[in-house]
Structure formats: structure tokens, C-alpha cells
Amino acid sequence: MTSVQLARIHLLDAVDAAALDAADAADDATVYRAGVDQSVPLSDQSVVADARTNLAAQELPAHVAGWRIVDGTGSPDGRTAVVVLTAIVRPPLFGGALSALAGDVTITVTSDARSGIDREAP
């Protein structure tokens, strides 16, 4: 169980990084049409695309066989990036036996981030 918990912590780190990166993924059409106000304007598409790019650049944590972005990833309000990540974890001690008995362990983690804009000059 320790290896599964450690994998979950590493997945949280990965999804946090993806959400922070996606919070800066401005939706170009909105920026050119309406400009930028108090936050970076986001869309579901910009968040998904940036999160995928970020996760593709990251190494899979130990004992994680694979991960993917799932439904729920996007921007519910046009200002917040939400990233939902599902991963398959294979614990080292029981990997083969556990897979034969109950299958791999699936972990889903979620993170959100918002990028505010400071309009005050230094």
C-alpha cells in the first residue's frame, strides 16, 4: 500500500504542474476578441491541450504504467484550469499477483489553478 500512496503523491505533483501550466494557456480567440481582464481567459480546449503537452514532457513516476487526462478536464468558468488525471499503478511487491487477482490499481487525481493578472506597475 505504501507504493500506491507514493504513486498517488507523485501523481498529485504531476497534475498540479499540469494545472498550473494550463492556467496560463490563454484561449487565443477570446484574447483577440475581448482582450485580457483580471485573469487569463481559458477554454476547455486550451486547458486540455496544454495539460496534455505538460504531462507528455513529464516522466511517469515509479510503478505507474500509464496515465491519461479524463473527462472533467477543462475550464468550467473560463478562468480556472481543472485537470483530472487517471493512472494505472502496479505495486512492486504484488504487481503480478494483484493483477491476476484484482487487476491493476487505478488512481484518479484532480487539481485546479487560476492565473490572476496584477495590473499594478512595480
Side-chain angles (χ1 to χ4, degrees):
M1 292 311 285
T2 301
S3 63
V4 173
Q5 178 62 14
L6 288 173
R8 183 180 152 290
I9 290 168
H10 292 296
L11 291 171
L12 283 169
D13 289 344
V15 77
D16 282 347
L20 284 170
D21 197 34
D24 290 331
D27 178 57
D28 292 339
T30 303
V31 169
Y32 289 119
R33 184 178 61 252
V36 175
D37 190 21
Q38 297 297 333
S39 63
V40 175
L42 304 173
S43 69
D44 291 340
Q45 297 78 14
S46 69
V47 170
V48 169
D50 211 60
R52 281 189 178 139
T53 299
N54 181 283
L55 289 167
Q58 294 187 49
E59 250 184 72
L60 286 175
H63 311 299
V64 174
W67 58 23
R68 65 185 172 90
I69 294 173
V70 296
D71 288 344
T73 298
S75 182
D77 60 4
R79 301 177 342 156
T80 305
V82 177
V83 180
V84 183
L85 181 68
T86 292
I88 303 297
V89 177
R90 294 198 174 124
L93 296 178
F94 305 110
L98 184 62
S99 292
L101 295 174
D104 295 322
V105 177
T106 301
I107 297 176
T108 301
V109 292
T110 303
S111 183
D112 59 77
R114 183 177 310 169
S115 186
I117 296 177
D118 185 4
R119 296 219 178 254
E120 294 183 29

